[in-house]
Each structure stands twice: as structure tokens, then as C-alpha cells.
Amino acid sequence: MTKDEKSLNQCLAEWKLFIYNLTTGEFLGRTAKSWGLILLFYLVFYGFLAALFSFTTWVMLHTLNDEVPKYRDHISSPGLTVFPKPVTALEYTFSMSDPTSYAGYIADLKKFLKPYTLEEQKNLTTCPDGALFEQEGPVYVACQFPLLLLQACSDMSDPGFGYSKGKPCIRVKMNRIIGLKPEGVPWIDCVLKNEDQTNITTYPYDGITDLKYFPYYGTKLHVGYLQPSVAVQVTLAPNSAEKEVTAEYEIDGSPKLKSQDDRDKFLGQVMFKITAHA
Amino acid sequence: WSWGGRKGQGLNLARKNEEEKKERETEELKKEVVMDDHKLTLEELSTKYSVNLTTGHSHQRAKEILIQDGPNTLTRPPTTPEWVKFCKQLFGGFSLLLWTGAILCFVAHGIQIYFHEEPAKDNLYLSVVLAVVVVITSCLSYYQEAKSSKIMESFKDMVPQQALVIREGEKTQINVQDVGLGDLVEIKGGDRIPADLRLISARGCKVDNSSLTGESAPQSRSTDFTHENPLETRNIGFFSTDCVEGKYRTISNLDMAVAQTPLFGVSSSREPKLFLWQCMEGVCLALTTKRMARKNCLAKDLEAVETLGSTSIICLDKTGTFTQNCMTVAHMWFDLRENDESRQRKTFANNSDTWFILAQISGLCNRADFKPNQETLPSAKRATTGDASESALLKFIEQSYSSVAEMRKKNPTVAEIPFNSTNEYQMSIHFREDSSQTHVLMMKGAPERILEFCSTFLLHGQEYSMDNELKEAFQNACLELGGLGERVLGFCFLNLPSSFSKGFPFNTDEINFPMDNLCFVGLVSMIDPPQTTVPDAVNRCRSAEIKVIMVTGDHPITAKAIAKRVGIISENTETAEDIAARLRIPVSKVNPSDAKAIVHGSELKDLHSEQLDQILRNHAEIVFARTSPQQKLIIVEGCQRLGAIVAVTGDGVNNSPALKKADIVIAMGISGSDVSKQAADMILLDDNFASIVTGVEEGHLIFDNLKKSIMYTLTSNIPEIAPFLLFVVLGIPLPLGIITILCIDLGTDMVPAISLAYESAESDIMKRRPRNPKMDKLVNHRLIAMAYGQIGMIQAVAGFFTYFVIMAENGFRPIDLLGICLYWEDKFLNDLEDSYGQQWTYERRKVVEFTCQTAFCVTIVLVQWAHLIVSKTCRNSVFQQGVRYKILIFAILEETFLAAFPSYTPGTDVALRMYPLKISWWFCAIPYSILIFVYDEIRKLLIRQRPGGKASLGPAPTEWSPAP
């Protein structure tokens, strides 16, 4: 035991000596001068490295176009997303009798619809329907997206978006992609899993997205651009106490827009579940 | 077997069987040796083995016996079966870790199947990839191991033991395994006994049975039957024991099964190291040994190469190492005058009676003989058996006098005392038919020793009593010849009185005949001319700061002459004696540090160890002359006290104490005895000192190359770890994933790291100090700082640059990436906005992320290109170093291919999640590659200008010298 203690003491003494050696003035095995030199070296070295990194990055950023990203091949086809974004996964759960259970969804929807109000859309252009609205610049204008299109799901007709009545509104929208020009008439097609119990309404009718909202020119050029969306109102059967609806949507009508991908479950398609309690 | 009982019944049974088998084997070993050969008389022996005891077997009969009994070898220890070795590779160490990973991935996939209907197949693919990687790498390393063990095996075969057998009356050197039952074998001091032997004639024979009995004192052997037990009796010698001195003729006796020496395979218990390093090390060592073997330098042991690299003192035996090992007679001194053999061959010979006697002694008192079947060759070119100086005498007499064989036939040897280092003489008694005095005693040996025996001397065939005049002339002649570096032998003889009639039993152990008042005949001096390559090799050693110390049994003057010839003592330096003579002061007053030391063995005996240390420390050039084996040991120990790693060359048994103590033993392949070859860690096949230097060079080289390899692989750790750190700290999407890390570690880095082992020596490799194994670790703090702090950092920055380029070009500018990972990793956030307002689904942005990871991996490969090129040298510029581009280019192509292949092959995006890269992304790394190149070149420039400065990774000068 004593031997061990002794060696422990020796160990400590050695460590102390290593941490600070009075005779040589070495701190952690190096003198102050040596530490200074080594710090200076690494300061210069890393300084230079940082400078090189900054320089190369600066050069790289200068080769970039401010308006359009250099490569868009990784998003050639848009994904579909739903709004409001549910808290967990893509499941909407609420109770018709309890307004707090869906207050979040309504707030989300309202926030999302804010740019769509009449005042906000005042300065936007009314574009011709049914054709791509291609622009040459230098000033790019955005097309109006009248909320009336969404009919029952616009907050003008129902500020509660139907949640309290068991007819919740969900917005389905196509992701923005710069320069995307769909062909044909893209529409969002609904596949209800248990159709017999529920009724589903899509606004605008049949979920058609007008071509005039394409192409998109990016945040910098396309100021005020309004993303077209489709509202879906699910009317849950009123008699049962608890209802569950699983809905699947996919883009249809335009061969360019993919709606099938093994890996990407949101490429041109979206699936969500609504559970409503009484 | 204590734990055996807890297992199942079946296992128990198996164990029991095994135990029984073991027991049977041990029983067999316990049995006493049953044999009676030692009790038989020679005649009975002769009939038993149907062999003639003077001429031996006929070749035909020997062949038959060999076929009947098989080769004369011990059964080899059981080797590990190949499949076990393979499994060890497959399931050992790092592989196990990967297997665990693969299994975990597979399990994870199973869980996913259970919970989701359509799981992503990533985990399945990953587990398959991991499994494939493990199998491939273990196949590679198994192959590697098999290859290096094959090299080791081949060493065993490359040093075949030889036995001198007598068949059809001729002495033949054959391999030990060809010795058959009943063969006549001749053994001399230093040989390893090739079979179990019954002695039929012996002269002063001693054997070292320590390998059998553990008894280290040599035991004397004779032809007498002294004990019932064959292990105790004197007339049996055992296989694989050593004959220490003497000469005897024996009959081999293979049918007795003496206790089998258990030969256990030495299991190397290496610390579990990382797989890659193990691989590299194996390749490096195997390559080095192979390369050395090509240069006539056989390393028995892989470690030997490394030890040789750190050697700081080489203790050299003069004989055989420096010289061509082909002694030739240079001068003769008789009739009080010198005869230069080369100039006066014709004139001196026939006109003096002294010459006849001298020639007779030279031919008869001589154990060398010509090897058979070369009668057509001129005698100078014939191969001989026996000691170099004896062979020189033999050839000389054969050339300038008459046939030695005839001479020997006329005067057969009846008794003999062989030469050994304590006697310093060799004596033989010969029978003469044509004289009244039927026996003549002949002696040759060290001149002083011979003179002690003599009371008369021979002048023109007449005997005169010894006087001071002759003694003085003798001394002068000795000094003069010795001063030329020649080996001087004195010759004398005595006609034994007629009372020693034919058949008198001469006993050399208890001498029963007169051995004084001999008649001095003359001196013969021989020289073994130094090899032409030696001076250069000595110089190279010196520039590598390796001290070359000559330790020799020769006379100081001879030693000095040879040392001067080969440059161990440089041309313009003086010994203490020289200085004393020049300044006319006594030797003791000369400042020892001014002089080059030549230490006489007898002085060495009286020195304290401190004094010896003083000598070893103060003198750069040291020669120890007239040293005994014990003194050699003292010298080696002295060197080691100073902290040096000592290499010792040695031939012959007498050196064994020093050999045992030395850090590395070097034996001579041609002239060395079997004992020294067995003890050696390294064998010089061409007996050339220059080969040692090659060995040292290779030792330095392997250290360098291992260091380079380790540096190379260590470096990529930083660009592998940094991405994860920044992922956590900055919240950016993960720049380098696990698969890509594996791709670098197990794929792209492997071959380049190994290719560094093929690197040839830098031009300054022999100008560096020897490594101090205590101070200079393979991985030191400088190497770590360099690998992690500098090159690694550059590589990491390069990787991040590429990463940011790809992200930015796809829409995510660097500034927007910071802190994005919370959203980025959210599977249900499918409209993540980039810097341009585009919205990304989870999968799409993951594709970009994996593309970045692929590019990061490729970038590391590209910066490792530059690193590989700069790693080729430690101090020299890449431009100075001659480039062997072949392997380098192969390595570069291989690593690039390994990075590009998974990136561009369709399908790998699913399996490995590596995506094709745009050409421009390959160029992102170029500025950083250039930086690495330039930075390292500058560093090397600084090293070259300030050797040992802060910039170097190698041993600094202050680190070498032992602490005062």
C-alpha cells in the first residue's frame, strides 16, 4: 500500500512539475517563449488558412447568380405539402367541441393567408388565365391569387375554417421551384381511403392550379409572388363520435411533374390523416 | 480443464479423448531411450550399419537409406490450419467492430420492417456493404499474412545446415536433412551436430548440450563408452546440440528416438492495433525484408530490421567482414630473411632445406582440404573445407611445393590438437615410414606462442640453438609483417625420439609426449585483402553517426593496419603512440581525446567500467585488439551502458557471450559457423560489411516509411471528425456521413498508405542520426501536431469549402445554412426554403446533403493526393527525390477510382447514398492541394536549412545523446 501511495505522490509531484516547473519556468512542458512562438505559429497558420478559405468562398459566391441558383437539377419536380403543419407527423387531431384543440391550426392558416388579403394583393397584376405567365424582366410582377377561389375555405366565408363544424380545411400546395413550367393542366387529385363515410370538396374546383402562376422567378426578382394553393375541405360524417380520415393527394395532369418516387414520399404527393373527436 | 465439466456431455467426452491422447503422447516421451549403439565396438558398429568406417557409405547406399528413412529432420510443430488463420482475420479486432456494425444495421432494418410496411432499405444496404468490406479486407490481410509468413518460412530454408559426411572416402558437404543412417560425419568446433551420432574418433572434442539438458558447461566427448545411459555416455553426440571445439568423426545413428525437443511456435502477442496500421506495418516489414534479401542481407526477424535502423554502434570482427575472406600467403620469413611470395615464387623455393620443412609443416599440420570433384581446376580456384588461413596455406603448398594429398598419405596424422583461442597453436603428430624417428611433431600458431616452445632454430636446414640475435630478428619480422596487416603464423617441429614407435597411443588430453624444446622453422604471413566496398561503407556509417568499433583478436599493429586500410582509423589521424612518438613524451601523458584509441586486450582487463566508458565516449575511432571473447562482452556492455544500440558481427563460437548481449547479431553467411548463423538476427550472405550498411539503411527506411504511412492515415482523421463537430456546433447539415468515412478509412486511404512502404530511401537517409528507440517514437507529438494541427486542418477546410460550394450552387448559401439543421432534419417539413425561395422536400435536400458528403469524400481524396506526394519524403524536396511514379500513380488512381466509382455507378445512390458529382466540384480541392504541397515544401526547405529544427518530424540532435 505504502508503495502505491508513494508512487501516487510521485505521480502528483511529476504532474506538478509538468504543469509548472519553477527552475526552468516551463509551463506544461514549454517555456513562455516557446508557448508564445507556437501560438504565434498557429495564429499565423490558421489565420492564413482562414484567409484562404474566405478568399475561395468569396470567389465562389461571386460566381453565383443572385437570382437563380446555379444548379436546379436536384429539384426538377415539386413536392406537395399541406398546411397548417401538424405538430406530429402528418396527423391532424382535434376536438370539435374544444376550440383550443384547433386554435393552432387556425392561427397557422391565418398567418399563411395574410399575404393573400385584398389589401396585400392590391398592387399585384391580374394575369390572363390558363397560360404560363412568362416575363422578361427587368421588373417581374406577381399574379393575384384571389382568395375567393378557395370558397368555403377562405377566411372570408368562415373564419374558423370549418374545424368547429367538423369540416376542417387543409391547404395543399405545390413547392416553389424557380423556372418550373408545367405542361397541360396540373391539378391536385385526391384519393380518399374511406370514401363512404366522408365527403371531400376541393377548391378551386377539381384542384386545378392555374398555369399563370408559373414560372416562378425567385425571391429576389419575383417580389410579392403568391404561391397558388388548393384548399381541401373534408366533411366528416356527423353521426359517429370519432372519425378518422386518411387522405392522399397527388399532382396529376402534367406529365413533367412527377408524383411517384420510391424514396421521396412527398414528391408530387402527400398523405395525411385527420382525426376528429366530437 | 477445470471449466470443461460445466459444458455439455458431448464436450466432456471429446475432452476425455483428447486427454487420453495427450497422456499417451506424454507416456511416449517419458520412455527411456532404448539403444545400445554406445556399447558396441567399432567393428560391431561397422557390421550393424554395414558401413566401412574409413570410407563411409557408397552414394548409392546413402540414397537408398534416405529413401527408406526419410529426411533427417525433426517433426515440425503443428501449424495453425489455414482456415483458422483466415477466421482470425475475419473475426478479429477491428473486423469484429465492423461485423457488430453490420449486424446492428441488419437488426435495425428488421425493426423497421416490423414497424413500417415499406421501410427505407438504407440499413440493409449498409449492413451488406459493411459485411462485404470486412470480407474483402480480411481476405487482403490474410493474403498479406500468408505472404509474409511464407517469407519467414523461406528464411528457414535459406539457411540450410550443412554436414560434412564421408562417402566413398570423400568428404562431401551435404544438407543436414540428407544425412542418413550409418553415414560417417565429420564435425569440428562451431558446427551443429547434424544427427544423433556415435563417435568413432575424436580429438579434444567438447559439446554444448545445453539445448537438451540445460547444462551450459561444455562436456568433453571421446570414443569411450563410459556410461550405461546413452544420454550420459561420452561417445554419443546429439542432434541439434553444438560442438564447441575439437574435431571428431562419427557415425550417424538415426534410429534412436531421443527426447524430442519440443519446438513451440513463437506466438507473437501483438497489441490489438487498428486494422489498417497492422496492414501497413506488415506490408512495410515484408517489403523491407524482401528488399534486403535481394541485397544479400537476410533478416531472420522482422524486428531485426528496425533494430538495425536504430543501431548507433557496430562492433566488428575483422575477419570475414572487411576482407574478401580469401586468405593468401603474402610473405614468408625463414633463414633470417624475408621472402615475398608474390615476387620471388621461383627463386626462393628450391634452394633451402628450411623451405622443405616449412612446406611439410604447412601441408601436414593443416586441417583444410580440397573439396572433391574439382581436380581439373587450378589449385588457387578450388573450393576448400576449413579455416581461411589453413586453406591459404594448403593452396600455397599445393602450388609451390607438391601435392598435399600425397604428402598426407605418406605421413598420416596420429594425434592432433586443434587450434583454439586459448592455446593459440595447433599441433599434430605424424607417422613417418622413411625415417628412424617414426614420429614427428609439428606445430603452427601465433608466433610469440610458437617461440615459447622453441629452444633451437633452423637455418639453411641446420639446427642452431636459440640466441638473442634470432629473437630480435624474429621480433622485427613479426612487427614488420604484422604492421602490414598480415596474419603471421609461426612454424616449428620436433622429431620425436624413436621410443615413440609405431602404434604408440598419443593422448592429447593428458599429454604423454614431449612438447618443448622444439625447433623454430619460420614465419608465414597471410593477408586477407580488404574488400573494395568497405571504406565507402565505413564512411557511410560515419555520416550516419554510427560508430564503427573494430574488435579483433589480432595483434594491435595488424589491427591498426587493417583499420587504416578500410578507414576505421582515418588517414590523417594518430594513435596515442604516434603522438607520443612525435612529441617525444610518454604515452600516458598524451591527451586521450587527441588520439584515436587502440586498446590492447590485456589493458582492457584492468580497466574499470568508468574508464572504458571514458574511452568509448571520448574516441570517435576505436580499435580493440587482441581481445578475448570475454572482453568482447565487456565492450558490448560498455557501449550499451552509454545508451547505444549495439550491433555485433561474429563468427565462431567464441563470440557467443558478446553475441547474446548484443542488440542485434550479424553473422556471415559464407564464413560464419552454424552456431553464429543460428544466433544471428541477420545474415550477410556475401560476408560484406557494406551489406550491414544496407541493413542500417533499410532500418532507417522502414522507420521512415512507417512514419509516413501513419502520418498519412492519421491526417484524414481531422476531416473525418470536424464535419460532425461543426454539424453540432454550427447546426449545418452533416457534411460527411458514416459511409463516406468508411469509404475513406477502408477504401481510399488504404492503398496509398501502403504504397508509401514502397518508397525508396531519401538521399540523406544515411546522414541522419540513428534513432534512439526510447526517445523517438513512431508517433511523436510533432507528427501528431503536423497531421492533426496542420495538414489535417487544411484538408478539413478543403472539405468544407467543397461542401459550401455544392450547397450554395444548389441554392443554400453558407450564411443560410447556419443553424438550419433543426429544420433540415425534420422529416415532415417538406417545404424548407432555400436562399432563392425554392422549397425543398426532405428527400430532395437529403440528396443534396449526400451529394455534399460524396464531394467531401472526393475532396479528401484529392487533398490526400497532394499529401501522398509530399509524404514521399521527410526532408528532401519532392523534386530532389528521384520519383518512383509507378506505385504512386497506381495508388492515386486507385484511391480516385474508389471514390469515383461509388459516386458515378448507377444504383449506389440507393445502396450507399453516394451521388454523382459535377466535374467542377472536383476542382474545389485544388487550391488546398496546392497549399499542402507548398506548405510542406517550405517546411522541408526549413528542415534542410536548419536540420533538427522545429519543423522536422524526425529525431532532433539534442534528443539523441544520452543525458549527462
Side-chain angles (χ1 to χ4, degrees), chain B residues 747-772:
Chain B
T748 62
D749 263 3
M750 193 103 82
V751 172
I754 289 170
S755 83
L756 285 172
Y758 285 87
E759 207 43 59
S760 50
E762 278 171 64
S763 48
D764 74 331
I765 198 157
M766 287 306 284
K767 287 179 195 137
R768 290 184 215 159
R769 285 171 177 279
R771 186 170 61 91
N772 180 350

Short mmCIF file of all heavy atoms in Angstrom, two decimals, chain B residues 747-772:
data_model
loop_
_atom_site.label_atom_id
_atom_site.label_comp_id
_atom_site.label_asym_id
_atom_site.label_seq_id
_atom_site.Cartn_x
_atom_site.Cartn_y
_atom_site.Cartn_z
N GLY B 747 -11.26 2.29 -47.70
CA GLY B 747 -11.12 2.23 -49.15
C GLY B 747 -9.97 3.09 -49.64
O GLY B 747 -8.88 2.61 -49.89
N THR B 748 -10.25 4.36 -49.70
CA THR B 748 -9.32 5.21 -50.46
C THR B 748 -7.98 5.37 -49.78
O THR B 748 -6.97 5.48 -50.43
CB THR B 748 -9.94 6.59 -50.68
OG1 THR B 748 -10.16 7.20 -49.42
CG2 THR B 748 -11.24 6.48 -51.41
N ASP B 749 -7.94 5.39 -48.43
CA ASP B 749 -6.66 5.64 -47.77
C ASP B 749 -5.73 4.43 -47.77
O ASP B 749 -4.55 4.58 -47.56
CB ASP B 749 -6.90 6.07 -46.32
CG ASP B 749 -6.88 7.57 -46.18
OD1 ASP B 749 -6.72 8.24 -47.23
OD2 ASP B 749 -7.00 8.08 -45.06
N MET B 750 -6.30 3.27 -47.99
CA MET B 750 -5.54 2.06 -47.75
C MET B 750 -4.35 1.90 -48.70
O MET B 750 -3.21 1.81 -48.25
CB MET B 750 -6.47 0.86 -47.90
CG MET B 750 -5.89 -0.39 -47.39
SD MET B 750 -6.59 -0.79 -45.82
CE MET B 750 -8.09 -1.57 -46.30
N VAL B 751 -4.62 1.85 -49.97
CA VAL B 751 -3.55 1.58 -50.92
C VAL B 751 -2.48 2.68 -50.91
O VAL B 751 -1.29 2.38 -50.90
CB VAL B 751 -4.12 1.32 -52.32
CG1 VAL B 751 -3.02 1.25 -53.35
CG2 VAL B 751 -4.91 0.04 -52.33
N PRO B 752 -2.87 3.96 -50.89
CA PRO B 752 -1.82 4.98 -50.83
C PRO B 752 -0.93 4.83 -49.60
O PRO B 752 0.28 4.96 -49.70
CB PRO B 752 -2.61 6.29 -50.76
CG PRO B 752 -3.90 5.98 -51.38
CD PRO B 752 -4.19 4.56 -51.05
N ALA B 753 -1.55 4.52 -48.46
CA ALA B 753 -0.73 4.35 -47.25
C ALA B 753 0.24 3.21 -47.43
O ALA B 753 1.41 3.31 -47.06
CB ALA B 753 -1.63 4.08 -46.05
N ILE B 754 -0.25 2.14 -48.05
CA ILE B 754 0.63 1.01 -48.27
C ILE B 754 1.69 1.34 -49.31
O ILE B 754 2.84 0.94 -49.21
CB ILE B 754 -0.20 -0.23 -48.67
CG1 ILE B 754 -0.97 -0.72 -47.46
CG2 ILE B 754 0.68 -1.33 -49.21
CD1 ILE B 754 -2.00 -1.76 -47.75
N SER B 755 1.30 2.15 -50.28
CA SER B 755 2.26 2.48 -51.34
C SER B 755 3.46 3.22 -50.76
O SER B 755 4.55 3.17 -51.31
CB SER B 755 1.60 3.33 -52.41
OG SER B 755 1.57 4.68 -52.03
N LEU B 756 3.25 3.90 -49.64
CA LEU B 756 4.39 4.62 -49.04
C LEU B 756 5.45 3.65 -48.55
O LEU B 756 6.61 4.02 -48.40
CB LEU B 756 3.91 5.50 -47.88
CG LEU B 756 3.17 6.75 -48.32
CD1 LEU B 756 2.56 7.46 -47.13
CD2 LEU B 756 4.10 7.70 -49.05
N ALA B 757 5.03 2.42 -48.31
CA ALA B 757 6.01 1.43 -47.86
C ALA B 757 6.99 1.09 -48.98
O ALA B 757 8.09 0.62 -48.73
CB ALA B 757 5.31 0.17 -47.40
N TYR B 758 6.57 1.32 -50.21
CA TYR B 758 7.44 1.04 -51.35
C TYR B 758 8.44 2.16 -51.60
O TYR B 758 9.25 2.10 -52.49
CB TYR B 758 6.61 0.84 -52.62
CG TYR B 758 5.89 -0.48 -52.68
CD1 TYR B 758 4.64 -0.64 -52.13
CD2 TYR B 758 6.49 -1.57 -53.30
CE1 TYR B 758 3.99 -1.84 -52.18
CE2 TYR B 758 5.84 -2.79 -53.36
CZ TYR B 758 4.58 -2.92 -52.80
OH TYR B 758 3.95 -4.12 -52.86
N GLU B 759 8.28 3.22 -50.81
CA GLU B 759 9.10 4.39 -51.03
C GLU B 759 10.58 4.03 -50.88
O GLU B 759 10.96 3.32 -49.96
CB GLU B 759 8.70 5.44 -49.97
CG GLU B 759 8.93 6.83 -50.37
CD GLU B 759 8.50 7.07 -51.81
OE1 GLU B 759 7.33 6.86 -52.16
OE2 GLU B 759 9.39 7.44 -52.57
N SER B 760 11.38 4.54 -51.78
CA SER B 760 12.81 4.24 -51.66
C SER B 760 13.45 5.27 -50.74
O SER B 760 12.86 6.28 -50.40
CB SER B 760 13.46 4.24 -53.03
OG SER B 760 13.11 5.41 -53.69
N ALA B 761 14.68 4.98 -50.38
CA ALA B 761 15.35 5.80 -49.39
C ALA B 761 15.58 7.20 -49.89
O ALA B 761 15.82 7.43 -51.07
CB ALA B 761 16.67 5.16 -49.01
N GLU B 762 15.51 8.14 -48.98
CA GLU B 762 15.86 9.51 -49.35
C GLU B 762 17.38 9.59 -49.43
O GLU B 762 18.08 8.86 -48.76
CB GLU B 762 15.33 10.48 -48.30
CG GLU B 762 13.89 10.80 -48.53
CD GLU B 762 13.31 11.59 -47.38
OE1 GLU B 762 13.77 12.72 -47.17
OE2 GLU B 762 12.42 11.08 -46.72
N SER B 763 17.83 10.52 -50.22
CA SER B 763 19.27 10.56 -50.46
C SER B 763 20.06 10.85 -49.19
O SER B 763 21.22 10.53 -49.10
CB SER B 763 19.57 11.60 -51.53
OG SER B 763 18.90 12.79 -51.21
N ASP B 764 19.40 11.43 -48.20
CA ASP B 764 20.17 11.76 -47.00
C ASP B 764 19.95 10.73 -45.90
O ASP B 764 20.28 10.98 -44.76
CB ASP B 764 19.77 13.14 -46.50
CG ASP B 764 18.41 13.12 -45.85
OD1 ASP B 764 17.59 12.27 -46.26
OD2 ASP B 764 18.17 13.92 -44.94
N ILE B 765 19.40 9.60 -46.26
CA ILE B 765 18.98 8.67 -45.20
C ILE B 765 20.15 8.24 -44.33
O ILE B 765 20.00 8.02 -43.14
CB ILE B 765 18.27 7.44 -45.81
CG1 ILE B 765 17.47 6.74 -44.74
CG2 ILE B 765 19.23 6.49 -46.47
CD1 ILE B 765 16.34 5.91 -45.27
N MET B 766 21.34 8.17 -44.93
CA MET B 766 22.48 7.75 -44.13
C MET B 766 23.21 8.94 -43.52
O MET B 766 24.27 8.80 -42.96
CB MET B 766 23.44 6.93 -44.99
CG MET B 766 22.91 5.55 -45.28
SD MET B 766 22.44 4.65 -43.80
CE MET B 766 24.04 4.18 -43.19
N LYS B 767 22.63 10.11 -43.64
CA LYS B 767 23.26 11.25 -42.97
C LYS B 767 22.54 11.56 -41.67
O LYS B 767 22.86 12.50 -40.98
CB LYS B 767 23.24 12.48 -43.88
CG LYS B 767 24.22 12.35 -45.02
CD LYS B 767 24.18 13.56 -45.92
CE LYS B 767 24.89 13.25 -47.22
NZ LYS B 767 24.15 13.75 -48.35
N ARG B 768 21.51 10.78 -41.40
CA ARG B 768 20.75 11.05 -40.18
C ARG B 768 21.32 10.24 -39.03
O ARG B 768 21.87 9.17 -39.21
CB ARG B 768 19.31 10.65 -40.38
CG ARG B 768 18.62 11.58 -41.30
CD ARG B 768 17.18 11.21 -41.39
NE ARG B 768 16.72 11.44 -42.72
CZ ARG B 768 15.66 10.87 -43.22
NH1 ARG B 768 14.97 10.03 -42.50
NH2 ARG B 768 15.29 11.15 -44.45
N ARG B 769 21.08 10.77 -37.86
CA ARG B 769 21.49 10.04 -36.67
C ARG B 769 20.66 8.79 -36.51
O ARG B 769 19.52 8.74 -36.93
CB ARG B 769 21.24 10.90 -35.45
CG ARG B 769 22.21 11.99 -35.29
CD ARG B 769 21.74 12.92 -34.20
NE ARG B 769 22.73 13.94 -34.03
CZ ARG B 769 23.82 13.75 -33.33
NH1 ARG B 769 24.01 12.60 -32.72
NH2 ARG B 769 24.71 14.70 -33.22
N PRO B 770 21.26 7.82 -35.83
CA PRO B 770 20.44 6.65 -35.51
C PRO B 770 19.32 7.06 -34.57
O PRO B 770 19.46 8.00 -33.80
CB PRO B 770 21.41 5.72 -34.80
CG PRO B 770 22.74 6.33 -34.88
CD PRO B 770 22.62 7.72 -35.33
N ARG B 771 18.26 6.34 -34.66
CA ARG B 771 17.12 6.65 -33.83
C ARG B 771 17.39 6.17 -32.42
O ARG B 771 17.96 5.13 -32.19
CB ARG B 771 15.93 5.89 -34.41
CG ARG B 771 14.63 6.17 -33.81
CD ARG B 771 13.60 5.53 -34.70
NE ARG B 771 13.81 4.09 -34.76
CZ ARG B 771 13.23 3.25 -33.92
NH1 ARG B 771 12.42 3.69 -33.00
NH2 ARG B 771 13.44 1.96 -34.03
N ASN B 772 16.98 6.95 -31.46
CA ASN B 772 17.03 6.50 -30.09
C ASN B 772 15.69 5.90 -29.76
O ASN B 772 14.69 6.60 -29.65
CB ASN B 772 17.33 7.69 -29.19
CG ASN B 772 17.40 7.28 -27.74
OD1 ASN B 772 17.05 6.16 -27.40
ND2 ASN B 772 17.85 8.18 -26.91
#
